[in-house]
C-alpha cells in the first residue's frame, strides 16, 4: 500500500505470496517482494492499473493487465474465466501486459470452490533452450491444473516445463554443489552439471533433458504454454518476455505487451453431474494412491499431496524467514517508513 | 466394409491409418489393421455404432462412442467440438465408450482449416508407472495441439507423455538392442535398459524418467490426460482402460465405458483477429526456427516439422510395407475373400 497499491490489490498480492510460502514454494513467496519493490522503483510496474477485458465471446476473453503487478491481472482474469464458465460451460482468458504473478496453482485452485476445473499457464523470461539449440528462447513456463474431488483433497498439478525450477540452480550454486546432468547445458550445448552455467552463456533444458529422453516433448509443452499465454493475448512471446527482476534489462525488441498468462475454468456439470464426477475423482485418487510403491519408496503421491502437507506443517510451525530475506524486508520497511516487527 | 463398416466410416478409418503412415508414425498405421480385425473377430468392437451426444452445454459435449472403432467416435467428437466453437468461441468434447483411434494429431489438425486451434487427448491401456511406483497405472496418454499460422506451416505438437512410444521398445527388442536408462524399470522399480522388461513385470516410465529429472511432471501430465479423457466422459480410467489388442484380456474391473478421449477447438478470433494471430504465429515460428543450433546440430525444429517432412518424402517415395505387415494384410484379405494387390 505504501507503494501506491489499493488495499484490495495489496491484499490480493499478499495472499498469493502467503499461498506460495504455505505450499512450500518459498522461491515464489517473500523472496520476491524485493524484486517487485525494485521493479516499482525502476518505474517498470504500474501500481494503479486499469485491468480490463478488451475482447470477448461467450466462452473467451482477452484481458489487458495495464502493466499491473501480475497477481492483480491474474486474479481478475481467473475470475473472468469462472464467470464465462457459469454461462457457457467453460471459460478461457488470455492476458497480456502483465508481470510475474507468483504460483500458477493459486489461480487454478480458485475454480475448485465453484465445482470447476481450473487451469493456469504463464510464460516467463527466457532461460530455456529448445531441443538442439543453445539459444535461450523460453521461460520455465509452468502448467497448473486443479480438479475437485468429493471426500479426497483436490488433484492439483502445478509444475514448470523444465526438470527443475530456476531457484534450485541458485540454491545448488550457493552451496557449491553440482546439479544432475539433464538440467543445464553450456554455451555450446554440451551437457553440464554446473548450476552457475547460465552466467557463462549456458541455458536450462526442457523437461526430458536431452532428445533421447524426450526433451522435444518438454519443448512442445513449453512452446504451447508460450503461445497460449502470449500469441492468444498479444503479450511478448519467447525470447522477448521482459524479466521479472529490475537488474536485468527489458529486451530491445518488443513483439507484444508485457508478460502473458492463460486461464481456463470448466464447469464439472458441463460434462457430468457434479457429485458423480467428484465421487469418480475420489475413486481415481484412491486407485492411484494404492499403487504399489517401488523398492525403497514409502508411498505413491497424488499431484497436490506434497504442497498440501507442506501447508499443514507450516500452519503448525510457522513460516521460516531466511535471514537474507528478512534483511531485505527490513531495508524495504526502513526505506518506506514502515516498522518491521 | 467387409467387416460391416459403412463406406463412410471405413473411409474415415482408412484416412487416419494413411495419415499415420504419412506422418512417419507407422506404429499407428497399417500395422494396426490386424489388431482391429482381431478385436472385431473377438466381438470386442462395434462396426455399426450409434455415436451420439449424451450431454451438452453451449461450449461442451459428452459423446458416447457406442464401442465404435476409435476413429469413428473421435471424428464425430472433434466435429462436435468445432461446431460448439463456432457458436461459443470454444468447444470441448469428452468421449467415452470408444477404442484406439490412431494418431491424436490427426484430430487436432481438423481444426486448422476452420482457423481454430485443435486439441486432442486420449488415455490408453496401462503400461506406465507413476513416480515412486511399480504398478502399471497409465497409458502412454498422448497430447496433441495444432495451431494455424499464415505463410508458415502450422505448429503441430503430438507426443506421448512417456520419453518414447511403446513401439520403440518393441523395435529395440526385435533388434536385440538395449534401450537408454530412463525408459523402463524392472518389477521392483530398479532402472533398466532391457526393452523386454514389460514381459517380466516391468513398466514404462513417465516423461522425465526418474524423480530427479522430473518424472513427477510426466506423471502429472499423463494423469491430467487420463482424467480429462475418462473422468470427464465416463470412460474407464487408469489401470482399467481396455487393451487395444485382442490377445490381452479386458480388465476384470470396469469403472466406466471403453476408452476415453478429449477434444478441444478454439476459434482464433475468439482471442485475436485471425489474420493478426496467424501473422504473429509466423513470427513466433520464424523466431524459434532461427534459434542458434547446438554444436553438431544442423537446425532447430518447430513442432510438426519432422512429420510434415516425412509426409513430403513418403508422398514422393511411397509407403514402405514391411513384409510381416504385408503378410498380415494378405491373410486378412484371404479370410475375408478380398483380392490383395
Amino acid at each position: 500500500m505504501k507503494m501506491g497499491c489499493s488495499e484490495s490489490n495489496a491484499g490480493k498480492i499478499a495472499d498469493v505470496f502467503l499461498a506460495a510460502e504455505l505450499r512450500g514454494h518459498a522461491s515464489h513467496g517473500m523472496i520476491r517482494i524485493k524484486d517487485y519493490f525494485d521493479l516499482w522503483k525502476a518505474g517498470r510496474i504500474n501500481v494503479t492499473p486499469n485491468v480490463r477485458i478488451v475482447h470477448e465471446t461467450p466462452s473467451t476473453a482477452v484481458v489487458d493487465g495495464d502493466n499491473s503487478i501480475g497477481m492483480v491481472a491474474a486474479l481478475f482474469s481467473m475470475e473472468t474465466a469462472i464467470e464465462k464458465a457459469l454461462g457457457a460451460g467453460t471459460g478461457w482468458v488470455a492476458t497480456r501486459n502483465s508481470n510475474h504473478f507468483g504460483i500458477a496453482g493459486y489461480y487454478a485452485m480458485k475454480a475448485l470452490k465453484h465445482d470447476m476445473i481450473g487451469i493456469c499457464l504463464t510464460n516467463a523470461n527466457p532461460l530455456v533452450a529448445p531441443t538442439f539449440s543453445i539459444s535461450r528462447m523460453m521461460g520455465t513456463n509452468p502448467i497448473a491444473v486443479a480438479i475437485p474431488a468429493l471426500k479426497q483433497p483436490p488433484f492439483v498439478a502445478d509444475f514448470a516445463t523444465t526438470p527443475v525450477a530456476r531457484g534450485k540452480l541458485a540454491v545448488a550454486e550457493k552451496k557449491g554443489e553440482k546439479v544432475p546432468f539433464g538440467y543445464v547445458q553450456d554455451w555450446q550445448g554440451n551437457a553440464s552439471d554446473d548450476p552457475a552455467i547460465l552466467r557463462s552463456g549456458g541455458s536450462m533444458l526442457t523437461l526430458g533433458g536431452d532428445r533421447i529422453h524426450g526433451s522435444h516433448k518438454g519443448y512442445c509443452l513449453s512452446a504451447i504454454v508460450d503461445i497460449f499465454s502470449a500469441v492468444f493475448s498479444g503479450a511478448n512471446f519467447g525470447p522477448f518476455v521482459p524479466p521479472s527482476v529490475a537488474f536485468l534489462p527489458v529486451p530491445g525488441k518488443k513483439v507484444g505487451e508485457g508478460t502473458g498468462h492463460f486461464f481456463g475454468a470448466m464447469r464439472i456439470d458441463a460434462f457430468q453431474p457434479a457429485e458423480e464426477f467428484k465421487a469418480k475423482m475420489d475413486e481415481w485418487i484412491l486407485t492411484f494412491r494404492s499403487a504399489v510403491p517401488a523398492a525403497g519408496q514409502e508411498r505413491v503421491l497424488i499431484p497436490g499431496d506434497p504442497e498440501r502437507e507442506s501447508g499443514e506443517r507450516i500452519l503448525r510451525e510457522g513460516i521460516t524467514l531466511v535471514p537474507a530475506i528478512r534483511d531485505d524486508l527490513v531495508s524495504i520497511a526502513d526505506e518506506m517508513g514502515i516498522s518491521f516487527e
Side-chain angles (χ1 to χ4, degrees), chain A:
Chain A
M1 288 168 65
K2 280 275 185 182
M3 284 163 55
C5 287
S6 68
E7 184 169 356
S8 158
N9 283 349
K12 288 173 192 169
I13 297 163
D15 199 48
V16 182
F17 280 136
L18 184 61
E21 294 285 346
L22 283 174
R23 295 183 72 73
H25 298 304
S27 56
H28 291 67
M30 287 185 297
I31 195 172
R32 300 279 183 163
I33 292 176
K34 180 158 165 48
D35 293 336
Y36 288 27
F37 182 68
D38 289 345
L39 282 171
W40 169 70
K41 282 209 297 185
R44 279 163 62 170
I45 214 158
N46 180 4
V47 288
T48 55
N50 175 22
V51 179
R52 63 201 183 278
I53 295 173
V54 291
H55 181 69
E56 60 189 314
T57 71
S59 75
T60 69
V62 174
V63 166
D64 187 316
D66 198 18
N67 195 27
S68 70
I69 293 181
M71 287 79 162
V72 178
L75 263 170
F76 177 86
S77 302
M78 189 68 210
E79 282 159 10
T80 303
I82 289 168
E83 264 177 51
K84 292 280 178 190
L86 285 173
T90 65
W92 307 90
V93 175
T95 306
R96 68 173 175 238
N97 208 0
S98 184
N99 287 286
H100 187 269
F101 70 13
I103 51 170
Y106 179 87
Y107 309 100
M109 290 177 77
K110 285 282 169 195
L112 294 173
K113 67 169 181 280
H114 302 278
D115 273 358
M116 294 182 186
I117 285 97
I119 297 172
C120 176
L121 317 173
T122 186
N123 70 7
N125 53 315
L127 296 168
V128 181
T131 302
F132 300 146
S133 178
I134 55 169
S135 302
R136 295 186 197 172
M137 302 291 278
M138 304 179 290
T140 52
N141 297 1
I143 296 173
V145 177
I147 305 175
L150 193 63
K151 292 174 188 164
Q152 292 295 314
F155 174 107
V156 183
D158 181 5
F159 55 97
T161 50
T162 47
V164 282
R166 168 79 179 88
K168 295 254 171 90
L169 300 181
V171 170
E173 188 185 349
K174 276 196 181 149
K175 291 186 181 168
E177 293 173 355
K178 298 288 182 191
V179 291
F181 285 96
Y183 289 7
V184 292
Q185 63 183 6
D186 73 11
W187 68 278
Q188 290 182 301
N190 299 307
S192 170
D193 59 359
D194 176 5
I197 201 88
L198 269 62
R199 298 183 193 282
S200 51
S203 44
M204 293 181 73
L205 298 167
T206 55
L207 182 59
D210 56 25
R211 171 64 182 78
I212 212 165
H213 290 95
S215 71
H216 55 304
K217 302 179 181 204
Y219 165 32
C220 283
L221 283 168
S222 187
I224 291 165
V225 171
D226 189 41
I227 293 168
F228 274 55
S229 298
V231 185
F232 280 35
S233 70
N236 290 290
F237 61 71
F240 310 113
V241 178
S244 53
V245 288
F247 61 81
L248 290 176
V250 175
K253 185 175 169 183
K254 245 183 95 169
V255 297
E257 298 294 330
T259 295
H261 319 306
F262 186 81
F263 304 87
M266 310 171 80
R267 253 173 47 204
I268 293 173
D269 64 6
F271 296 96
Q272 300 285 334
E275 293 303 290
E276 261 178 52
F277 178 97
K278 291 194 287 184
K280 192 65 85 174
M281 272 308 297
D282 277 3
E283 195 180 351
W284 190 98
I285 289 167
L286 292 172
T287 300
F288 277 73
R289 227 189 267 293
S290 71
V292 179
Q297 298 295 342
E298 197 184 318
R299 58 181 183 143
V300 177
L301 298 168
I302 303 301
D305 281 352
E307 291 87 353
R308 193 185 62 256
E309 291 169 5
S310 155
E312 289 162 2
R313 184 180 53 76
I314 292 173
L315 279 175
R316 283 195 310 270
E317 298 176 3
I319 294 171
T320 304
L321 196 51
V322 176
I325 298 174
R326 189 180 193 284
D327 291 348
D328 279 346
L329 296 180
V330 168
S331 136
I332 293 169
D334 280 351
E335 198 170 334
M336 300 300 284
I338 314 169
S339 74
F340 185 91
E341 292 161 32

